[in-house]
Amino acid sequence: MTRIEALTAALAWEIAGLPVEQQVDALNQTRRALHEVGPFRAEPVDLVTWVRPRTLVSNPCAPKAAVSNDMDMLHVSIREDGFTQPIVTFPAGETRVLVDGVHRARIGRDMPDLRDRMHGYLPVVGIDKAEHDRKGTTMRHNWPWGRHHETGTEVEA
């Protein structure tokens, strides 16, 4: 066993013995540390962290709401296959502004089966963009899903 393998096994053993909330904090902290030294640190998907839904806030440039049937299918998809795509956000201090995945966030937050399975957390990635660049990023991520609105009230998380 290499030194890295031994350290990884020891860290995994330590984290496994923690209560869930401390496990999540430790995993997020470990992922951030590895992300900072990895060759893919410029890629948002390299750092998926787990956050509480209350930390997510609506985006004023978000697309229109999904129809009920689509939300039902999304629930089935996540229930059967898990979260295969993280929720995309702009980190903003203690909160995160939703870029893409507002419906995944709503389903993960509101459906008891998923909320329980994920211990009340949601998977997110962050895109580090200046405030003036965020509208374009939001539009590019959501273009296939319909018209974009300046208020975002239909899809608040």
PDB file of all heavy atoms in Angstrom, residues 111-131:
ATOM      1  N   MET A 111     -39.343  16.621  -1.683  1.00  0.00           N
ATOM      2  CA  MET A 111     -39.811  15.238  -1.682  1.00  0.00           C
ATOM      3  C   MET A 111     -39.200  14.482  -0.497  1.00  0.00           C
ATOM      4  O   MET A 111     -37.978  14.300  -0.427  1.00  0.00           O
ATOM      5  CB  MET A 111     -39.460  14.536  -2.997  1.00  0.00           C
ATOM      6  CG  MET A 111     -40.172  15.127  -4.172  1.00  0.00           C
ATOM      7  SD  MET A 111     -41.954  14.953  -3.920  1.00  0.00           S
ATOM      8  CE  MET A 111     -42.577  15.904  -5.266  1.00  0.00           C
ATOM      9  N   PRO A 112     -40.049  14.044   0.431  1.00  0.00           N
ATOM     10  CA  PRO A 112     -39.532  13.411   1.658  1.00  0.00           C
ATOM     11  C   PRO A 112     -38.607  12.223   1.399  1.00  0.00           C
ATOM     12  O   PRO A 112     -37.614  12.055   2.115  1.00  0.00           O
ATOM     13  CB  PRO A 112     -40.805  12.968   2.395  1.00  0.00           C
ATOM     14  CG  PRO A 112     -41.881  13.860   1.879  1.00  0.00           C
ATOM     15  CD  PRO A 112     -41.514  14.156   0.449  1.00  0.00           C
ATOM     16  N   ASP A 113     -38.908  11.410   0.384  1.00  0.00           N
ATOM     17  CA  ASP A 113     -38.052  10.246   0.134  1.00  0.00           C
ATOM     18  C   ASP A 113     -36.633  10.670  -0.240  1.00  0.00           C
ATOM     19  O   ASP A 113     -35.660  10.105   0.253  1.00  0.00           O
ATOM     20  CB  ASP A 113     -38.662   9.324  -0.931  1.00  0.00           C
ATOM     21  CG  ASP A 113     -38.917  10.011  -2.262  1.00  0.00           C
ATOM     22  OD1 ASP A 113     -39.138  11.246  -2.300  1.00  0.00           O
ATOM     23  OD2 ASP A 113     -38.914   9.298  -3.300  1.00  0.00           O
ATOM     24  N   LEU A 114     -36.515  11.691  -1.073  1.00  0.00           N
ATOM     25  CA  LEU A 114     -35.186  12.166  -1.475  1.00  0.00           C
ATOM     26  C   LEU A 114     -34.512  12.948  -0.360  1.00  0.00           C
ATOM     27  O   LEU A 114     -33.322  12.774  -0.102  1.00  0.00           O
ATOM     28  CB  LEU A 114     -35.288  13.023  -2.738  1.00  0.00           C
ATOM     29  CG  LEU A 114     -35.865  12.319  -3.962  1.00  0.00           C
ATOM     30  CD1 LEU A 114     -35.950  13.279  -5.132  1.00  0.00           C
ATOM     31  CD2 LEU A 114     -35.051  11.093  -4.325  1.00  0.00           C
ATOM     32  N   ARG A 115     -35.266  13.804   0.297  1.00  0.00           N
ATOM     33  CA  ARG A 115     -34.721  14.602   1.401  1.00  0.00           C
ATOM     34  C   ARG A 115     -34.149  13.677   2.481  1.00  0.00           C
ATOM     35  O   ARG A 115     -33.038  13.896   2.976  1.00  0.00           O
ATOM     36  CB  ARG A 115     -35.813  15.509   1.967  1.00  0.00           C
ATOM     37  CG  ARG A 115     -35.322  16.476   3.010  1.00  0.00           C
ATOM     38  CD  ARG A 115     -36.394  17.433   3.494  1.00  0.00           C
ATOM     39  NE  ARG A 115     -37.581  16.727   3.969  1.00  0.00           N
ATOM     40  CZ  ARG A 115     -38.795  16.841   3.429  1.00  0.00           C
ATOM     41  NH1 ARG A 115     -39.011  17.631   2.405  1.00  0.00           N
ATOM     42  NH2 ARG A 115     -39.808  16.174   3.931  1.00  0.00           N
ATOM     43  N   ASP A 116     -34.878  12.617   2.808  1.00  0.00           N
ATOM     44  CA  ASP A 116     -34.396  11.676   3.818  1.00  0.00           C
ATOM     45  C   ASP A 116     -33.163  10.920   3.339  1.00  0.00           C
ATOM     46  O   ASP A 116     -32.193  10.752   4.081  1.00  0.00           O
ATOM     47  CB  ASP A 116     -35.496  10.678   4.191  1.00  0.00           C
ATOM     48  CG  ASP A 116     -36.645  11.317   4.938  1.00  0.00           C
ATOM     49  OD1 ASP A 116     -36.521  12.482   5.397  1.00  0.00           O
ATOM     50  OD2 ASP A 116     -37.703  10.658   5.058  1.00  0.00           O
ATOM     51  N   ARG A 117     -33.191  10.487   2.093  1.00  0.00           N
ATOM     52  CA  ARG A 117     -32.067   9.720   1.551  1.00  0.00           C
ATOM     53  C   ARG A 117     -30.784  10.546   1.518  1.00  0.00           C
ATOM     54  O   ARG A 117     -29.688  10.018   1.724  1.00  0.00           O
ATOM     55  CB  ARG A 117     -32.421   9.223   0.140  1.00  0.00           C
ATOM     56  CG  ARG A 117     -31.391   8.259  -0.410  1.00  0.00           C
ATOM     57  CD  ARG A 117     -31.848   7.647  -1.690  1.00  0.00           C
ATOM     58  NE  ARG A 117     -31.496   8.505  -2.813  1.00  0.00           N
ATOM     59  CZ  ARG A 117     -32.032   8.405  -4.018  1.00  0.00           C
ATOM     60  NH1 ARG A 117     -32.971   7.516  -4.267  1.00  0.00           N
ATOM     61  NH2 ARG A 117     -31.649   9.192  -4.982  1.00  0.00           N
ATOM     62  N   MET A 118     -30.922  11.857   1.288  1.00  0.00           N
ATOM     63  CA  MET A 118     -29.751  12.725   1.209  1.00  0.00           C
ATOM     64  C   MET A 118     -29.538  13.531   2.479  1.00  0.00           C
ATOM     65  O   MET A 118     -28.788  14.502   2.475  1.00  0.00           O
ATOM     66  CB  MET A 118     -29.845  13.606  -0.023  1.00  0.00           C
ATOM     67  CG  MET A 118     -29.572  12.762  -1.251  1.00  0.00           C
ATOM     68  SD  MET A 118     -29.962  13.523  -2.783  1.00  0.00           S
ATOM     69  CE  MET A 118     -31.710  13.625  -2.704  1.00  0.00           C
ATOM     70  N   HIS A 119     -30.204  13.099   3.544  1.00  0.00           N
ATOM     71  CA  HIS A 119     -30.012  13.706   4.861  1.00  0.00           C
ATOM     72  C   HIS A 119     -30.231  15.215   4.841  1.00  0.00           C
ATOM     73  O   HIS A 119     -29.597  15.948   5.610  1.00  0.00           O
ATOM     74  CB  HIS A 119     -28.619  13.373   5.414  1.00  0.00           C
ATOM     75  CG  HIS A 119     -28.330  11.912   5.456  1.00  0.00           C
ATOM     76  ND1 HIS A 119     -28.810  11.089   6.455  1.00  0.00           N
ATOM     77  CD2 HIS A 119     -27.632  11.120   4.601  1.00  0.00           C
ATOM     78  CE1 HIS A 119     -28.406   9.848   6.218  1.00  0.00           C
ATOM     79  NE2 HIS A 119     -27.706   9.840   5.102  1.00  0.00           N
ATOM     80  N   GLY A 120     -31.109  15.689   3.943  1.00  0.00           N
ATOM     81  CA  GLY A 120     -31.421  17.110   3.878  1.00  0.00           C
ATOM     82  C   GLY A 120     -30.386  17.954   3.152  1.00  0.00           C
ATOM     83  O   GLY A 120     -30.406  19.178   3.256  1.00  0.00           O
ATOM     84  N   TYR A 121     -29.496  17.334   2.398  1.00  0.00           N
ATOM     85  CA  TYR A 121     -28.461  18.047   1.638  1.00  0.00           C
ATOM     86  C   TYR A 121     -28.722  17.925   0.143  1.00  0.00           C
ATOM     87  O   TYR A 121     -29.405  16.994  -0.303  1.00  0.00           O
ATOM     88  CB  TYR A 121     -27.074  17.479   1.934  1.00  0.00           C
ATOM     89  CG  TYR A 121     -26.559  17.794   3.312  1.00  0.00           C
ATOM     90  CD1 TYR A 121     -26.851  16.964   4.383  1.00  0.00           C
ATOM     91  CD2 TYR A 121     -25.781  18.920   3.533  1.00  0.00           C
ATOM     92  CE1 TYR A 121     -26.373  17.246   5.651  1.00  0.00           C
ATOM     93  CE2 TYR A 121     -25.304  19.201   4.804  1.00  0.00           C
ATOM     94  CZ  TYR A 121     -25.604  18.366   5.848  1.00  0.00           C
ATOM     95  OH  TYR A 121     -25.136  18.648   7.111  1.00  0.00           O
ATOM     96  N   LEU A 122     -28.140  18.836  -0.630  1.00  0.00           N
ATOM     97  CA  LEU A 122     -28.211  18.798  -2.088  1.00  0.00           C
ATOM     98  C   LEU A 122     -26.808  18.943  -2.664  1.00  0.00           C
ATOM     99  O   LEU A 122     -25.980  19.686  -2.130  1.00  0.00           O
ATOM    100  CB  LEU A 122     -29.088  19.940  -2.609  1.00  0.00           C
ATOM    101  CG  LEU A 122     -30.560  19.882  -2.225  1.00  0.00           C
ATOM    102  CD1 LEU A 122     -31.255  21.182  -2.607  1.00  0.00           C
ATOM    103  CD2 LEU A 122     -31.236  18.691  -2.876  1.00  0.00           C
ATOM    104  N   PRO A 123     -26.523  18.258  -3.794  1.00  0.00           N
ATOM    105  CA  PRO A 123     -25.198  18.367  -4.418  1.00  0.00           C
ATOM    106  C   PRO A 123     -25.104  19.618  -5.284  1.00  0.00           C
ATOM    107  O   PRO A 123     -25.974  19.884  -6.114  1.00  0.00           O
ATOM    108  CB  PRO A 123     -25.121  17.102  -5.280  1.00  0.00           C
ATOM    109  CG  PRO A 123     -26.546  16.850  -5.675  1.00  0.00           C
ATOM    110  CD  PRO A 123     -27.380  17.298  -4.494  1.00  0.00           C
ATOM    111  N   VAL A 124     -24.051  20.396  -5.087  1.00  0.00           N
ATOM    112  CA  VAL A 124     -23.869  21.615  -5.876  1.00  0.00           C
ATOM    113  C   VAL A 124     -22.443  21.739  -6.386  1.00  0.00           C
ATOM    114  O   VAL A 124     -21.506  21.170  -5.818  1.00  0.00           O
ATOM    115  CB  VAL A 124     -24.216  22.891  -5.062  1.00  0.00           C
ATOM    116  CG1 VAL A 124     -25.646  22.870  -4.576  1.00  0.00           C
ATOM    117  CG2 VAL A 124     -23.257  23.115  -3.920  1.00  0.00           C
ATOM    118  N   VAL A 125     -22.325  22.482  -7.468  1.00  0.00           N
ATOM    119  CA  VAL A 125     -21.033  22.971  -7.943  1.00  0.00           C
ATOM    120  C   VAL A 125     -21.153  24.486  -8.011  1.00  0.00           C
ATOM    121  O   VAL A 125     -22.262  25.025  -8.088  1.00  0.00           O
ATOM    122  CB  VAL A 125     -20.614  22.401  -9.320  1.00  0.00           C
ATOM    123  CG1 VAL A 125     -20.417  20.900  -9.257  1.00  0.00           C
ATOM    124  CG2 VAL A 125     -21.603  22.767 -10.395  1.00  0.00           C
ATOM    125  N   GLY A 126     -20.027  25.152  -7.997  1.00  0.00           N
ATOM    126  CA  GLY A 126     -20.036  26.607  -8.057  1.00  0.00           C
ATOM    127  C   GLY A 126     -19.266  27.117  -9.258  1.00  0.00           C
ATOM    128  O   GLY A 126     -18.229  26.569  -9.620  1.00  0.00           O
ATOM    129  N   ILE A 127     -19.811  28.154  -9.871  1.00  0.00           N
ATOM    130  CA  ILE A 127     -19.126  28.852 -10.957  1.00  0.00           C
ATOM    131  C   ILE A 127     -18.740  30.215 -10.415  1.00  0.00           C
ATOM    132  O   ILE A 127     -19.594  30.980  -9.974  1.00  0.00           O
ATOM    133  CB  ILE A 127     -20.033  29.003 -12.195  1.00  0.00           C
ATOM    134  CG1 ILE A 127     -20.398  27.635 -12.753  1.00  0.00           C
ATOM    135  CG2 ILE A 127     -19.337  29.854 -13.255  1.00  0.00           C
ATOM    136  CD1 ILE A 127     -21.332  27.702 -13.947  1.00  0.00           C
ATOM    137  N   ASP A 128     -17.463  30.509 -10.447  1.00  0.00           N
ATOM    138  CA  ASP A 128     -16.967  31.772  -9.908  1.00  0.00           C
ATOM    139  C   ASP A 128     -17.003  32.821 -11.024  1.00  0.00           C
ATOM    140  O   ASP A 128     -16.112  32.869 -11.859  1.00  0.00           O
ATOM    141  CB  ASP A 128     -15.549  31.586  -9.383  1.00  0.00           C
ATOM    142  CG  ASP A 128     -15.046  32.799  -8.629  1.00  0.00           C
ATOM    143  OD1 ASP A 128     -15.873  33.652  -8.241  1.00  0.00           O
ATOM    144  OD2 ASP A 128     -13.826  32.900  -8.440  1.00  0.00           O
ATOM    145  N   LYS A 129     -18.070  33.626 -11.036  1.00  0.00           N
ATOM    146  CA  LYS A 129     -18.242  34.672 -12.046  1.00  0.00           C
ATOM    147  C   LYS A 129     -18.523  35.992 -11.356  1.00  0.00           C
ATOM    148  O   LYS A 129     -19.212  36.041 -10.339  1.00  0.00           O
ATOM    149  CB  LYS A 129     -19.433  34.363 -12.963  1.00  0.00           C
ATOM    150  CG  LYS A 129     -19.233  33.210 -13.900  1.00  0.00           C
ATOM    151  CD  LYS A 129     -18.447  33.637 -15.102  1.00  0.00           C
ATOM    152  CE  LYS A 129     -18.397  32.491 -16.090  1.00  0.00           C
ATOM    153  NZ  LYS A 129     -17.975  32.877 -17.383  1.00  0.00           N
ATOM    154  N   ALA A 130     -18.046  37.050 -11.965  1.00  0.00           N
ATOM    155  CA  ALA A 130     -18.375  38.388 -11.474  1.00  0.00           C
ATOM    156  C   ALA A 130     -19.862  38.643 -11.702  1.00  0.00           C
ATOM    157  O   ALA A 130     -20.480  38.065 -12.602  1.00  0.00           O
ATOM    158  CB  ALA A 130     -17.543  39.437 -12.208  1.00  0.00           C
ATOM    159  N   GLU A 131     -20.422  39.514 -10.888  1.00  0.00           N
ATOM    160  CA  GLU A 131     -21.856  39.823 -10.954  1.00  0.00           C
ATOM    161  C   GLU A 131     -22.302  40.177 -12.376  1.00  0.00           C
ATOM    162  O   GLU A 131     -23.332  39.709 -12.849  1.00  0.00           O
ATOM    163  CB  GLU A 131     -22.162  40.988 -10.004  1.00  0.00           C
ATOM    164  CG  GLU A 131     -23.620  41.239  -9.779  1.00  0.00           C
ATOM    165  CD  GLU A 131     -24.271  40.249  -8.838  1.00  0.00           C
ATOM    166  OE1 GLU A 131     -23.621  39.785  -7.902  1.00  0.00           O
ATOM    167  OE2 GLU A 131     -25.448  39.944  -9.071  1.00  0.00           O
TER     168      GLU A 131
END
